[in-house]
Amino acid sequence: MNLFHLLQARASAGKPVRVALIGAGKFGSMFLSQVPHTPGLEVPVIVDIDRDRAREACRTVGWDAERIAATVFTEDGVRAIDGAIDVVVEATGNPAVGIKHARAAIAAGKHIVMVNVEADVLAGPLLAEEARKAGVVYSLAYGDQPALTAEMVDWARATGFRVVAAGKGTKYLPAYHDVTPDGVWQHYGLTAGEAQSAGMNPQMFNSFLDGTKSAIEMAAIANACALDVPADGLLFPPCGVDDLPHIMRPRSRGGVLERSGVVEVVSSLERDGRPVFRDLRWGVYVVLEAPNDYAADCFRQYGLKTDGSGRYAAMYKPYHLIGLELNISVLSAALRGEPTGQPHGFRGDVAAVAKRNLRAGETLDGEGGYTVWGKLVPAAASLKTSALPIGLAHRLKLKHDVAHGEIVRWSGVAFDANDETIRTRKAMEAAFATSGASS
């Protein structure tokens, strides 16, 4: 609780925290909107494949002409990292590009904040280990749900509670797994024309709807918090905030979880489509267990919602503000040398699953597309079955048919073993296969 004072000291000393932002999309724009209001924080470099769009994003969020003129806009992320920068923010959303930028930042001795959770789940455990060895911070992005959940898990453990479950809320129905970009907008209450006029990308928004983004974020949390993942994927149980302690507990205690200590996503919709009462669609939560009768009594005395036994309670945050909160990660890395969550093992992976019967010769189109969705699986099971990670299910051609609902495997696709992203992923698989995927 001293980041602001540390930042004030840097500002007074004329040594602002300098950030290179890579990717001026929605998340990046939200971060940029806060920069003029944060003395001691500067973004002298913005990297984007469309420099004019990046400049327009700055104008849209309120940057004045002087600030824009003083900023370097470039398409070359690797070269931008070499400058007088303290922290690199990777916000492209492209796994291959994210890995490339993270490694360049680590090699240049810069802290890296990985907004790009797709890259984190694909190779984050390896990248974080490389950063630790180099003496720099590799961090999840505060404001996004994985870092916010990791903070709550850390709070619970540091205060002596056992974490039973942790995760987030979302809008979910089982049928969403098969939705394609052609049908996504009806589930958001929009027409295709309205979405297009707002500049909304149907494939990106579909990745949120079809379960892929939830799987990616839960894998990131599992890897950062040493939590397990469900053996057969996320359950997405309908659950409001008042019912978290009752529903999100082990089956042996009357809940829905296969065991204690897992990640899970709760749905804001009942299975018949009715809204859940006091849902957690935009928030995060942690369910904790009292270690003794005295603590359980305190739960009751101080008004916590508990299950019938009084031993299980929940804390939650109803909203997350995405890039508006990203300063916390940037300043934590630069001023404290601490991440706001980072992977320490490989416990969760996200496998590509066929949305329909796929035929040999078809080309996969990745997260939120027409061919596959991402399913959360235990990392050990993913390695054992050679599941193809969703982060690599882009522009790969199928070698044989894959039935609807089946996991796509490495053996079922044609790939270039010399591709740098694939080599990085294979290196991580090899490293954590020998050290233990759940270590």
Side-chain angles (χ1 to χ4, degrees):
M1 290 183 280
N2 63 349
L3 280 178
F4 180 63
H5 295 292
L6 292 173
L7 183 61
Q8 284 183 310
R10 284 285 291 263
S12 297
K15 297 180 179 180
V17 175
R18 293 167 61 85
V19 179
L21 171 65
I22 306 178
K26 180 61 173 177
F27 201 115
S29 294
M30 294 176 81
F31 166 62
L32 293 173
S33 75
Q34 300 304 99
V35 172
H37 310 288
T38 314
L41 178 66
E42 294 182 358
V43 181
V45 181
I46 298 176
V47 181
D48 198 279
I49 57 175
D50 187 338
R51 287 178 289 178
D52 290 338
R53 185 189 70 170
R55 288 190 183 90
E56 183 58 32
C58 291
R59 284 189 284 269
T60 298
V61 303
W63 280 30
D64 59 30
E66 182 180 0
R67 187 180 294 272
I68 293 173
T71 303
V72 174
F73 293 86
T74 178
E75 299 173 16
D76 191 337
V78 174
R79 288 186 64 186
I81 289 168
D82 287 334
I85 296 297
D86 299 299
V87 181
V88 175
V89 172
E90 215 299 333
T92 65
N94 183 304
V97 172
I99 291 170
K100 177 182 177 181
H101 289 151
R103 282 193 148 156
I106 293 166
K110 316 295 184 184
H111 303 307
I112 176 76
V113 175
M114 188 62 89
V115 177
N116 190 336
V117 69
E118 292 82 2
D120 176 75
V121 169
L122 189 61
L126 184 66
L127 297 174
E129 181 62 23
E130 291 175 356
R132 287 189 289 268
K133 290 178 179 177
V136 296
V137 172
Y138 173 100
S139 179
L140 299 179
Y142 201 89
D144 223 349
Q145 288 156 311
L148 297 179
T149 305
E151 179 185 49
M152 297 187 77
V153 169
D154 186 63
W155 165 84
R157 288 171 172 165
T159 49
F161 295 114
R162 182 185 183 192
V163 173
V164 177
K168 69 163 195 171
T170 196
K171 179 182 179 181
Y172 171 83
L173 290 173
Y176 290 170
H177 290 311
D178 293 338
V179 175
T180 71
D182 290 341
V184 65
W185 297 127
Q186 63 180 304
H187 300 291
Y188 284 96
L190 298 169
T191 66
E194 289 170 338
Q196 184 177 13
S197 65
M200 300 167 71
N201 182 316
Q203 184 158 343
M204 183 189 74
F205 275 83
N206 198 43
S207 72
F208 288 91
L209 186 76
D210 70 8
T212 299
K213 193 72 169 183
S214 290
I216 289 171
E217 291 181 334
M218 292 305 103
I221 294 167
N223 294 337
C225 299
L227 291 168
D228 290 330
V229 305
D232 192 33
L234 293 167
L235 300 173
F236 295 97
C239 183
V241 296
D242 299 324
D243 292 326
L244 284 167
H246 176 73
I247 294 174
M248 305 307 293
R249 56 182 178 166
R251 292 171 191 155
S252 60
R253 300 292 185 179
V256 301
L257 306 178
E258 60 191 53
R259 68 173 72 88
S260 186
V262 300
V263 294
E264 187 56 80
V265 177
V266 295
S267 176
S268 64
L269 295 177
E270 302 287 354
R271 289 297 189 258
D272 61 5
R274 289 179 298 115
V276 165
F277 178 66
R278 280 174 44 85
D279 68 81
L280 195 64
R281 179 178 178 183
W282 306 108
V284 297
Y285 76 91
V286 61
V287 173
L288 45 95
E289 182 180 1
N292 51 49
D293 291 338
Y294 183 84
D297 287 342
C298 291
F299 286 173
R300 175 179 54 81
Q301 293 160 5
Y302 287 87
L304 270 72
K305 298 281 188 180
T306 67
D307 73 327
S309 74
R311 299 300 288 260
Y312 294 91
M315 287 290 186
Y316 62 90
K317 194 171 188 176
Y319 303 104
H320 65 298
L321 294 179
I322 326 292
L324 298 180
E325 300 181 79
L326 186 62
N327 284 5
I328 301 301
S329 288
V330 170
L331 300 181
S332 182
L335 304 178
R336 289 184 183 148
E338 292 183 353
T340 49
Q342 68 171 210
H344 288 274
F346 185 36
R347 307 177 75 94
D349 199 12
V350 184
V353 176
K355 285 188 172 182
R356 54 177 172 77
N357 291 327
L358 302 176
R359 302 302 179 193
E362 287 194 67
T363 299
L364 302 180
D365 59 354
E367 299 96 328
Y370 294 85
T371 57
V372 290
W373 61 277
K375 179 178 180 178
L376 181 66
V377 295
S382 175
L383 296 180
K384 184 177 181 180
T385 60
S386 296
L388 179 71
I390 190 69
L392 292 175
H394 298 256
R395 297 183 294 278
L396 295 184
K397 186 171 290 188
L398 290 173
K399 294 162 60 176
H400 55 69
D401 297 351
V402 181
H404 178 212
E406 283 191 1
I407 289 176
V408 182
R409 307 189 190 279
W410 280 104
S411 60
V413 295
F415 62 91
D416 179 3
N418 292 318
D419 177 88
E420 188 61 30
T421 307
I422 290 176
R423 288 174 60 188
T424 300
R425 169 64 188 209
K426 289 293 189 180
M428 190 188 77
E429 291 184 355
F432 286 89
T434 56
S435 64
S438 297
S439 63

